[in-house]
Amino acid sequence: MAEPIVPQGGVLLGRVRHPDVAHPLVVTVHDGEVFDITGKRAPTVRDVCELADAVSHVETARDRPIGPLDEIAANSRQQTRQPGKPYLLAPVDLQAIKACGVTFVVSLLERVIEEQARGDPGKAKALRGELTGLIGDDLSALEPGSDAAMAVKEALIGRGIWSQYLEVGIGPDPEVFTKGQPLSAVGYGAEVGVLASSKWNNPEPEVVLIVASDLRIVGASLGNDVNLRDIEGRSALLLGKAKDNNASGAIGPFIRLFDGEFTLETVKRAELTMTVEGEDGFAMTGRSSMRQISRPPEALVAATSGAHHQYPDGFALYLGTMFAPVEDRDKAGEGFTHHLGDVVRIACPELGVLQNRVRPATECAPWTYGVRQLMADLSAAQLI
């Protein structure tokens, strides 16, 4: 039997592309079976997440089975997918896709190194040693924006090593950016894309919060915020080019909705593990502990949306990662970078498994199904 990709228990919400239906299906999972719960009350995942009784809606709507999860998951792997069978999509649809960066001390230091190295991985090792010698672990217990953090800021400025990444890492305002447009994320089994011009890049295993338009945090999923380190390192103004490309963001396998057993406090204790396996025999493991995040998740949500910025369809928010690979893969001192064909597997006991294979962004399936087509298909099915 195939390895399960979902946690034991929990209220799961997702999307499936079915060959017999024009529009994506809104689905849930129960006892290993996938159920279609698409209906007029909530024809999109966005609509389910806006409901005050989302959990009970999902649990009572599972009356149309469409197949075993293990079969649908197996067919979701893009390189072996059979188009005449259903497969998983990213579990978000109309929500904006936002992301936070530099929310863990380890990744903060690596971002400073990227900037100082100007995208040259060969300079990273020397810079890493220099910065660690200057900073040590001084930042790990700092509350961003606090008086103590501002004192460290002044000390670092005096040493001549202040950075835009340190500003968002320990300053009052976090980094929040747009990772992609609604419907642009890929799901479990899909290929994720890197630009051919990038020679230094890596996966970023993250928790993704699902937030309704009224700022209720209704659930969570797993995400891979594919990162082009050399491009971002050349200039922060290239963040869009580094982060938002074809198939550059994966979310899945499902949203786990908050209920009495799974809550935001559970997310704050989550431990993510990651493996990267290359066609060249290379293997790497990593982890990201939500216990080490520098800003509370609810503070990141508040920085994203409120009186200053509304999202009428809600949003998905990548929370950042502590994973910053420094293990050499090709040449000594140049650290890790993806090879085409790498299989990235991100796992969390409470959220399941998200697995994707790395390809050039230009060779991943193009994003062609947008909001206009979704609305047309739902209208044709008399769901809206």
PDB file of all heavy atoms in Angstrom, residues 128-148:
ATOM      1  N   ARG A 128      29.698  33.548   5.856  1.00  0.00           N
ATOM      2  CA  ARG A 128      28.974  32.892   6.939  1.00  0.00           C
ATOM      3  C   ARG A 128      29.830  32.856   8.201  1.00  0.00           C
ATOM      4  O   ARG A 128      29.363  33.146   9.309  1.00  0.00           O
ATOM      5  CB  ARG A 128      28.557  31.478   6.509  1.00  0.00           C
ATOM      6  CG  ARG A 128      27.598  30.793   7.457  1.00  0.00           C
ATOM      7  CD  ARG A 128      27.097  29.472   6.870  1.00  0.00           C
ATOM      8  NE  ARG A 128      26.292  29.704   5.671  1.00  0.00           N
ATOM      9  CZ  ARG A 128      26.658  29.356   4.449  1.00  0.00           C
ATOM     10  NH1 ARG A 128      27.826  28.760   4.248  1.00  0.00           N
ATOM     11  NH2 ARG A 128      25.870  29.601   3.426  1.00  0.00           N
ATOM     12  N   GLY A 129      31.087  32.502   8.048  1.00  0.00           N
ATOM     13  CA  GLY A 129      31.974  32.471   9.197  1.00  0.00           C
ATOM     14  C   GLY A 129      32.194  33.850   9.788  1.00  0.00           C
ATOM     15  O   GLY A 129      32.207  34.027  11.012  1.00  0.00           O
ATOM     16  N   GLU A 130      32.351  34.853   8.925  1.00  0.00           N
ATOM     17  CA  GLU A 130      32.582  36.220   9.403  1.00  0.00           C
ATOM     18  C   GLU A 130      31.379  36.749  10.180  1.00  0.00           C
ATOM     19  O   GLU A 130      31.516  37.314  11.269  1.00  0.00           O
ATOM     20  CB  GLU A 130      32.880  37.127   8.217  1.00  0.00           C
ATOM     21  CG  GLU A 130      33.108  38.577   8.592  1.00  0.00           C
ATOM     22  CD  GLU A 130      33.343  39.449   7.369  1.00  0.00           C
ATOM     23  OE1 GLU A 130      33.423  38.907   6.256  1.00  0.00           O
ATOM     24  OE2 GLU A 130      33.425  40.675   7.551  1.00  0.00           O
ATOM     25  N   LEU A 131      30.167  36.561   9.618  1.00  0.00           N
ATOM     26  CA  LEU A 131      28.977  37.077  10.274  1.00  0.00           C
ATOM     27  C   LEU A 131      28.661  36.339  11.561  1.00  0.00           C
ATOM     28  O   LEU A 131      28.258  36.947  12.558  1.00  0.00           O
ATOM     29  CB  LEU A 131      27.782  36.991   9.318  1.00  0.00           C
ATOM     30  CG  LEU A 131      27.791  37.999   8.169  1.00  0.00           C
ATOM     31  CD1 LEU A 131      26.670  37.697   7.184  1.00  0.00           C
ATOM     32  CD2 LEU A 131      27.659  39.409   8.700  1.00  0.00           C
ATOM     33  N   THR A 132      28.871  35.035  11.565  1.00  0.00           N
ATOM     34  CA  THR A 132      28.632  34.279  12.790  1.00  0.00           C
ATOM     35  C   THR A 132      29.586  34.730  13.884  1.00  0.00           C
ATOM     36  O   THR A 132      29.216  34.836  15.059  1.00  0.00           O
ATOM     37  CB  THR A 132      28.781  32.777  12.532  1.00  0.00           C
ATOM     38  OG1 THR A 132      27.858  32.373  11.519  1.00  0.00           O
ATOM     39  CG2 THR A 132      28.501  31.976  13.798  1.00  0.00           C
ATOM     40  N   GLY A 133      30.821  35.021  13.496  1.00  0.00           N
ATOM     41  CA  GLY A 133      31.774  35.515  14.481  1.00  0.00           C
ATOM     42  C   GLY A 133      31.372  36.855  15.057  1.00  0.00           C
ATOM     43  O   GLY A 133      31.573  37.128  16.239  1.00  0.00           O
ATOM     44  N   LEU A 134      30.777  37.713  14.234  1.00  0.00           N
ATOM     45  CA  LEU A 134      30.355  39.037  14.698  1.00  0.00           C
ATOM     46  C   LEU A 134      29.052  38.986  15.491  1.00  0.00           C
ATOM     47  O   LEU A 134      28.910  39.666  16.511  1.00  0.00           O
ATOM     48  CB  LEU A 134      30.175  39.966  13.495  1.00  0.00           C
ATOM     49  CG  LEU A 134      31.455  40.464  12.814  1.00  0.00           C
ATOM     50  CD1 LEU A 134      31.116  41.172  11.509  1.00  0.00           C
ATOM     51  CD2 LEU A 134      32.222  41.414  13.742  1.00  0.00           C
ATOM     52  N   ILE A 135      28.092  38.178  15.003  1.00  0.00           N
ATOM     53  CA  ILE A 135      26.754  38.198  15.587  1.00  0.00           C
ATOM     54  C   ILE A 135      26.554  37.089  16.611  1.00  0.00           C
ATOM     55  O   ILE A 135      25.903  37.270  17.630  1.00  0.00           O
ATOM     56  CB  ILE A 135      25.686  38.072  14.472  1.00  0.00           C
ATOM     57  CG1 ILE A 135      25.830  39.232  13.484  1.00  0.00           C
ATOM     58  CG2 ILE A 135      24.289  38.080  15.059  1.00  0.00           C
ATOM     59  CD1 ILE A 135      24.926  39.120  12.280  1.00  0.00           C
ATOM     60  N   GLY A 136      27.126  35.918  16.357  1.00  0.00           N
ATOM     61  CA  GLY A 136      26.910  34.782  17.225  1.00  0.00           C
ATOM     62  C   GLY A 136      25.441  34.436  17.297  1.00  0.00           C
ATOM     63  O   GLY A 136      24.734  34.441  16.290  1.00  0.00           O
ATOM     64  N   ASP A 137      24.958  34.149  18.504  1.00  0.00           N
ATOM     65  CA  ASP A 137      23.547  33.831  18.702  1.00  0.00           C
ATOM     66  C   ASP A 137      22.785  35.001  19.310  1.00  0.00           C
ATOM     67  O   ASP A 137      21.722  34.839  19.904  1.00  0.00           O
ATOM     68  CB  ASP A 137      23.407  32.599  19.615  1.00  0.00           C
ATOM     69  CG  ASP A 137      24.005  31.358  18.980  1.00  0.00           C
ATOM     70  OD1 ASP A 137      23.908  31.248  17.751  1.00  0.00           O
ATOM     71  OD2 ASP A 137      24.561  30.526  19.714  1.00  0.00           O
ATOM     72  N   ASP A 138      23.320  36.206  19.173  1.00  0.00           N
ATOM     73  CA  ASP A 138      22.720  37.384  19.808  1.00  0.00           C
ATOM     74  C   ASP A 138      21.265  37.600  19.397  1.00  0.00           C
ATOM     75  O   ASP A 138      20.493  38.162  20.147  1.00  0.00           O
ATOM     76  CB  ASP A 138      23.514  38.640  19.463  1.00  0.00           C
ATOM     77  CG  ASP A 138      24.900  38.644  20.079  1.00  0.00           C
ATOM     78  OD1 ASP A 138      25.150  37.819  20.971  1.00  0.00           O
ATOM     79  OD2 ASP A 138      25.716  39.455  19.647  1.00  0.00           O
ATOM     80  N   LEU A 139      20.902  37.172  18.179  1.00  0.00           N
ATOM     81  CA  LEU A 139      19.582  37.490  17.661  1.00  0.00           C
ATOM     82  C   LEU A 139      18.513  36.474  18.042  1.00  0.00           C
ATOM     83  O   LEU A 139      17.328  36.748  17.886  1.00  0.00           O
ATOM     84  CB  LEU A 139      19.639  37.587  16.132  1.00  0.00           C
ATOM     85  CG  LEU A 139      20.672  38.548  15.548  1.00  0.00           C
ATOM     86  CD1 LEU A 139      20.592  38.519  14.034  1.00  0.00           C
ATOM     87  CD2 LEU A 139      20.457  39.950  16.061  1.00  0.00           C
ATOM     88  N   SER A 140      18.888  35.313  18.531  1.00  0.00           N
ATOM     89  CA  SER A 140      17.925  34.215  18.670  1.00  0.00           C
ATOM     90  C   SER A 140      16.832  34.499  19.686  1.00  0.00           C
ATOM     91  O   SER A 140      15.715  34.007  19.542  1.00  0.00           O
ATOM     92  CB  SER A 140      18.664  32.923  19.050  1.00  0.00           C
ATOM     93  OG  SER A 140      19.318  33.085  20.292  1.00  0.00           O
ATOM     94  N   ALA A 141      17.117  35.280  20.719  1.00  0.00           N
ATOM     95  CA  ALA A 141      16.113  35.537  21.748  1.00  0.00           C
ATOM     96  C   ALA A 141      15.488  36.916  21.625  1.00  0.00           C
ATOM     97  O   ALA A 141      14.727  37.340  22.494  1.00  0.00           O
ATOM     98  CB  ALA A 141      16.737  35.376  23.132  1.00  0.00           C
ATOM     99  N   LEU A 142      15.818  37.628  20.555  1.00  0.00           N
ATOM    100  CA  LEU A 142      15.313  38.995  20.412  1.00  0.00           C
ATOM    101  C   LEU A 142      13.864  39.012  19.956  1.00  0.00           C
ATOM    102  O   LEU A 142      13.476  38.275  19.065  1.00  0.00           O
ATOM    103  CB  LEU A 142      16.147  39.765  19.392  1.00  0.00           C
ATOM    104  CG  LEU A 142      17.513  40.269  19.834  1.00  0.00           C
ATOM    105  CD1 LEU A 142      18.147  41.028  18.687  1.00  0.00           C
ATOM    106  CD2 LEU A 142      17.427  41.129  21.067  1.00  0.00           C
ATOM    107  N   GLU A 143      13.070  39.892  20.556  1.00  0.00           N
ATOM    108  CA  GLU A 143      11.725  40.146  20.075  1.00  0.00           C
ATOM    109  C   GLU A 143      11.807  41.247  19.029  1.00  0.00           C
ATOM    110  O   GLU A 143      12.256  42.355  19.327  1.00  0.00           O
ATOM    111  CB  GLU A 143      10.819  40.593  21.215  1.00  0.00           C
ATOM    112  CG  GLU A 143       9.416  40.940  20.764  1.00  0.00           C
ATOM    113  CD  GLU A 143       8.558  41.489  21.884  1.00  0.00           C
ATOM    114  OE1 GLU A 143       8.975  41.399  23.055  1.00  0.00           O
ATOM    115  OE2 GLU A 143       7.473  42.022  21.576  1.00  0.00           O
ATOM    116  N   PRO A 144      11.414  40.956  17.782  1.00  0.00           N
ATOM    117  CA  PRO A 144      11.506  41.974  16.735  1.00  0.00           C
ATOM    118  C   PRO A 144      10.801  43.264  17.134  1.00  0.00           C
ATOM    119  O   PRO A 144       9.691  43.246  17.666  1.00  0.00           O
ATOM    120  CB  PRO A 144      10.822  41.319  15.534  1.00  0.00           C
ATOM    121  CG  PRO A 144      11.007  39.854  15.771  1.00  0.00           C
ATOM    122  CD  PRO A 144      10.900  39.677  17.263  1.00  0.00           C
ATOM    123  N   GLY A 145      11.476  44.379  16.894  1.00  0.00           N
ATOM    124  CA  GLY A 145      10.897  45.681  17.199  1.00  0.00           C
ATOM    125  C   GLY A 145      11.070  46.141  18.625  1.00  0.00           C
ATOM    126  O   GLY A 145      10.723  47.280  18.954  1.00  0.00           O
ATOM    127  N   SER A 146      11.602  45.277  19.494  1.00  0.00           N
ATOM    128  CA  SER A 146      11.771  45.647  20.903  1.00  0.00           C
ATOM    129  C   SER A 146      12.953  46.587  21.079  1.00  0.00           C
ATOM    130  O   SER A 146      13.783  46.773  20.189  1.00  0.00           O
ATOM    131  CB  SER A 146      11.989  44.390  21.746  1.00  0.00           C
ATOM    132  OG  SER A 146      13.219  43.778  21.396  1.00  0.00           O
ATOM    133  N   ASP A 147      13.060  47.196  22.272  1.00  0.00           N
ATOM    134  CA  ASP A 147      14.185  48.070  22.573  1.00  0.00           C
ATOM    135  C   ASP A 147      15.503  47.311  22.451  1.00  0.00           C
ATOM    136  O   ASP A 147      16.502  47.844  21.950  1.00  0.00           O
ATOM    137  CB  ASP A 147      14.041  48.651  23.980  1.00  0.00           C
ATOM    138  CG  ASP A 147      12.890  49.650  24.082  1.00  0.00           C
ATOM    139  OD1 ASP A 147      12.436  50.132  23.030  1.00  0.00           O
ATOM    140  OD2 ASP A 147      12.452  49.931  25.217  1.00  0.00           O
ATOM    141  N   ALA A 148      15.499  46.050  22.914  1.00  0.00           N
ATOM    142  CA  ALA A 148      16.720  45.244  22.834  1.00  0.00           C
ATOM    143  C   ALA A 148      17.113  45.006  21.378  1.00  0.00           C
ATOM    144  O   ALA A 148      18.295  45.061  21.018  1.00  0.00           O
ATOM    145  CB  ALA A 148      16.514  43.910  23.547  1.00  0.00           C
TER     146      ALA A 148
END
